[in-house]
Amino acid sequence: MDLNSCAGGWSTLLENYDGLAKFCYDNQIADSTLKKYQTVYNYYSNFCFWNDLTVGEELSCVRFMSFVLAAGKGWILDSFKAAVTFFSLKDCFQFRWTDLMKGVKKGAKKIYNRIDKKSRLRDPFLLNAIHTWIDNMYTVTNWDYYTYYYCCLYAVIIVTGLRCLCRPKELVELSFDQIVLNIPEPSCVTIKSQFYKNDQFGKDTDGIPIEPIPNSPYCPVKIISAYRNLVLFKQPSDPFFSNLGSNEYLSTDFISSVIKIVNNTNAVVSGHSLRIGGASQLVKSGEPLEMVGFAGSWSSDAKNRYVRRTQLVTRKTSSKILTNNFCDKNQ
């Protein structure tokens, strides 16, 4: 159960204090974390069932960790202890993390990282790629409607993702009424995105204001408005982004394919490349990491992996290091 299902009130939960306690316990962590724990725990409990082992005991944990390593599913190891601990407290069974279990997990992770783990490579989206795409959109005059629609759709997905540093899931879940014109100022657009990864309870009611770029073909307000004019027939709850003739929400795979088509390079891009590209552009323009974190609603240090290498370039690290070394050498 999640908090979004509580609109009808608390009366049913209050009839059973044990149920309310479990409900509170579930909601101490983010929905995405709870789903991950549930997945890992399901793997573990099913393994114990089919192998006649007891959930929570040292033998079952050690054998399970060995099993997931042999199966090439070493990613389970990172969340295994936390997941079993969570459900042991919730379902009231004995679980103690022993030195043997700690050692097996540590060794299994080392082996997995060396043999099976595949690095998640994500290059940033290249800014000149969307410039080229938009230039073509404005210069070609003999578009048929189908081609023009998808040209606009691809452009607005890329521009919105870059400007708002969106995750792919946040893009595909946008509804028509979440794109608000002339807020907070005339000629602006506000993206009323809620319930994203770091807004589990929908407290972000302000949205992301997007200001226009005067006299620029790459103005995000102009591009968003151009696509919006093509879909004015949509109802408030309909998806903002959709295929032509369809009223279904797009998939995150569709977002990834759009990025690959528009980027048009051999770079390793994915749905998150817009988020990385937007963060990289902010760093190049001189924005501090704190502002980048705020712009992308980062609650962790994950952004640092994307932007600190860019900072080394923009701060002319080579010149600073080599010049100082050469100065020292000549002294």
Side-chain angles (χ1 to χ4, degrees), residues 28-309:
Q28 68 176 306
I29 59 177
D31 288 348
S32 56
T33 304
L34 182 59
K35 289 177 183 177
K36 183 192 297 183
Y37 286 179
Q38 183 71 66
T39 299
V40 172
Y41 183 70
N42 285 345
Y43 276 127
Y44 171 58
S45 57
N46 287 335
F47 174 84
C48 291
F49 175 80
W50 290 109
N51 291 277
D52 197 23
L53 297 169
T54 303
V55 171
E57 288 190 351
E58 183 181 73
L59 179 61
S60 66
C61 292
V62 169
R63 288 188 177 178
F64 176 72
M65 288 187 285
S66 302
F67 167 75
V68 297
L69 174 63
K73 297 184 179 294
W75 57 269
I76 291 175
L77 296 168
D78 286 328
S79 305
F80 177 61
K81 178 184 176 182
V84 179
T85 300
F86 180 87
F87 282 98
S88 70
L89 295 173
K90 180 181 177 182
D91 297 338
C92 300
F93 63 82
Q94 293 293 322
F95 175 66
R96 186 174 68 87
W97 191 250
T98 66
D99 289 339
L100 175 60
M101 291 151 66
K102 179 180 178 181
V104 170
K105 177 184 174 181
K106 184 176 181 180
K109 285 185 64 176
K110 282 186 175 181
I111 296 171
Y112 174 69
N113 289 337
R114 291 173 183 172
I115 299 174
D116 291 322
K117 186 175 182 181
K118 297 178 181 178
S119 298
R120 183 179 292 177
L121 300 175
R122 291 171 174 169
D123 291 332
F125 184 87
L126 301 178
L127 188 63
N128 63 342
I130 188 57
H131 286 176
T132 301
W133 188 269
I134 293 172
D135 289 341
N136 290 334
M137 186 173 73
Y138 288 138
T139 55
V140 178
T141 58
N142 59 342
W143 293 113
D144 61 89
Y145 184 77
Y146 177 91
T147 305
Y148 180 71
Y149 178 87
Y150 278 99
C151 191
C152 287
L153 175 63
Y154 287 16
V156 74
I157 286 174
I158 298 297
V159 168
T160 305
L162 279 173
R163 173 57 181 80
C164 301
L165 279 67
C166 290
R167 301 172 181 88
K169 191 170 186 288
E170 295 163 8
L171 282 172
V172 300
E173 291 181 348
L174 284 175
S175 59
F176 188 79
D177 62 350
Q178 289 180 301
I179 313 301
V180 185
L181 302 183
N182 301 317
I183 298 292
E185 297 179 2
S187 74
C188 289
V189 171
T190 293
I191 309 294
K192 292 279 189 176
S193 178
Q194 288 181 285
F195 299 104
Y196 49 84
K197 185 176 181 181
N198 295 325
D199 183 39
Q200 297 291 326
F201 304 118
K203 293 182 178 180
D204 184 1
T205 57
D206 296 329
I208 304 171
I210 301 177
E211 76 289 354
I213 306 174
N215 304 318
S216 171
Y218 314 121
C219 172
V221 175
K222 181 179 180 180
I223 293 167
I224 292 172
S225 298
Y227 172 76
R228 189 177 183 276
N229 288 336
L230 295 176
V231 293
L232 285 176
F233 58 87
K234 287 179 177 286
Q235 298 298 314
S237 60
D238 288 345
F240 184 62
F241 301 126
S242 63
N243 281 302
L244 183 61
S246 170
N247 208 26
E248 300 292 330
Y249 283 90
L250 300 175
S251 66
T252 54
D253 289 339
F254 185 94
I255 301 296
S256 296
S257 66
V258 168
I259 293 170
K260 292 174 183 177
I261 291 169
V262 178
N263 202 57
N264 195 28
T265 67
N266 293 325
V268 182
V269 292
S270 69
H272 280 75
S273 291
L274 297 178
R275 188 165 166 80
I276 303 167
S280 299
Q281 285 299 127
L282 285 175
V283 171
K284 289 177 182 178
S285 66
E287 294 291 347
L289 281 177
E290 292 77 12
M291 182 56 68
V292 176
F294 176 76
S297 300
W298 268 290
S299 61
S300 67
D301 293 330
K303 64 182 182 299
N304 297 343
R305 300 198 305 268
Y306 305 142
V307 301
R308 279 183 170 164
R309 289 184 177 84

